[in-house]
Amino acid sequence: MCCASLYLLSGPLEVLEVSDVLLATERMTKDLFGSILRMAFLKKPKHICIAEQVTDKLERTLSLFDLICIGVGGTVGSGVFVLTGLIAREYAGPGVVISWIIAGICCIFSAMSYAEMACRIPSAGSTYAYAYCALGELPAVLAAWFLSLEYGISGAAVARSWGDKFIILLDSCCGLGSYLDPGYGVNVVAALLQCLVVCILLAGVSVGKLTVNFFTVLKMVVVLFIIVAGLALFHPANVSDWAPYGSAGILRGTVSSVVKCCVVYLCCCYQ
């Protein structure tokens, strides 16, 4: 009887204490989760970005010409030489000219957007700095990781492409390409090319910019040669059917061109 009385007396008190603990725990959890969210999406004030840029002690070694070469060199690659013929043959025909014009206009708008953003947030750090000021620290870290992953995958793909072309060139010239192609998906030339690029980067910005400028000028000379040779061998009969696949083919070629141009251009803007 005494035990029952004690149980009846202490029962409601225990329930009340447990409910208080649960409420306090829930409140603490919400406060902790809210604090984590506030810290994760904490934005970097714009005046701090500007102050850090003003007090930056790094020596500027890139001129306007160097920056233009970086942008042009990153945009004009093997894809430009190959993709034009592919779009003309598969999608647009001679109307590929219109496809590339529309793609160029889209890239101009993208360039204007990035120029405005760079003026609003004049800070080094590429996408990380932009996302830190606009969205918060967590989106900035994710953007930096995704960008690093993109550079790693694209760099490996470009090195593999160059390695395959070099092996084909050796086979056609002296038949030695098989010695550099052990099979099993291994590309020795691509690995050596990656090591060479790392050595150039370790040598400093001065060596890197000279390398980029040289290859950019070389690629522009190749582009000019293709244009002049194409005009010299031009036959009006080849453009008699301007759009063999209709406007849909031209628009499809535009989409392919825009994807190529915008992806490469965004990589240049993120640098």
Side-chain angles (χ1 to χ4, degrees):
M1 187 68 180
C2 294
C3 294
S5 300
L6 291 174
Y7 177 78
L8 293 175
L9 290 175
S10 60
L13 295 176
E14 291 179 358
V15 173
L16 182 60
E17 290 177 359
V18 171
S19 63
D20 288 342
V21 171
L22 291 177
L23 289 175
T25 304
E26 184 179 359
R27 190 179 300 112
M28 291 176 60
T29 304
K30 289 182 178 179
D31 293 341
L32 180 61
F33 185 70
S35 300
I36 294 175
L37 283 180
R38 285 192 295 270
M39 293 176 61
F41 291 92
L42 184 64
K43 299 178 183 179
K44 192 174 186 178
K46 182 178 177 181
H47 66 275
I48 295 180
C49 296
I50 298 176
E52 290 177 349
Q53 192 69 17
V54 172
T55 57
D56 191 4
K57 302 298 182 181
L58 294 177
E59 181 182 358
R60 296 182 181 272
T61 58
L62 297 178
S63 63
L64 178 60
F65 177 76
D66 298 329
L67 294 175
I68 293 175
C69 286
I70 291 175
V72 175
T75 305
V76 180
S78 59
V80 174
F81 303 114
V82 177
L83 194 62
T84 305
L86 177 64
I87 295 176
R89 185 186 65 182
E90 300 290 340
Y91 306 141
V96 67
V97 177
I98 301 177
S99 299
W100 281 101
I101 290 176
I102 299 175
I105 294 174
C106 295
C107 288
I108 289 175
F109 284 112
S110 178
M112 294 172 63
S113 300
Y114 271 91
E116 181 182 359
M117 184 170 60
C119 292
R120 289 180 179 270
I121 308 175
S123 174
S126 170
T127 310
Y128 176 81
Y130 300 148
Y132 202 167
C133 292
L135 301 175
E137 189 171 6
L138 178 60
V141 172
L142 293 177
W145 274 105
F146 291 153
L147 191 60
S148 301
L149 179 63
E150 176 189 356
Y151 281 142
I153 295 176
S154 60
V158 171
R160 181 61 184 263
S161 176
W162 276 65
D164 291 339
K165 292 175 182 177
F166 185 76
I167 291 174
I168 293 173
L169 179 62
L170 284 181
D171 272 335
S172 61
C173 293
C174 52
L176 299 177
S178 58
Y179 294 99
L180 297 175
D181 188 12
Y184 304 102
V186 178
N187 194 312
V188 179
V189 180
L192 294 176
L193 180 61
Q194 292 280 48
C195 294
L196 178 61
V197 172
V198 171
C199 293
I200 293 174
L201 293 175
L202 292 176
V205 180
S206 300
V207 178
K209 74 175 184 179
L210 292 177
T211 306
V212 171
N213 294 349
F214 170 76
F215 281 103
T216 300
V217 173
L218 179 62
K219 286 190 288 187
M220 295 309 299
V221 170
V222 173
V223 170
L224 291 176
F225 171 77
I226 293 175
I227 293 174
V228 173
L231 291 176
L233 300 175
F234 176 73
H235 296 290
N238 293 332
V239 294
S240 58
D241 188 3
W242 182 258
Y245 303 101
S247 58
I250 294 178
L251 293 178
R252 187 174 180 182
T254 301
V255 172
S256 301
S257 305
V258 167
V259 170
K260 164 65 180 176
C261 293
C262 286
V263 168
V264 176
Y265 178 75
L266 289 179
C267 290
C268 297
C269 292
Y270 288 158
Q271 295 175 353

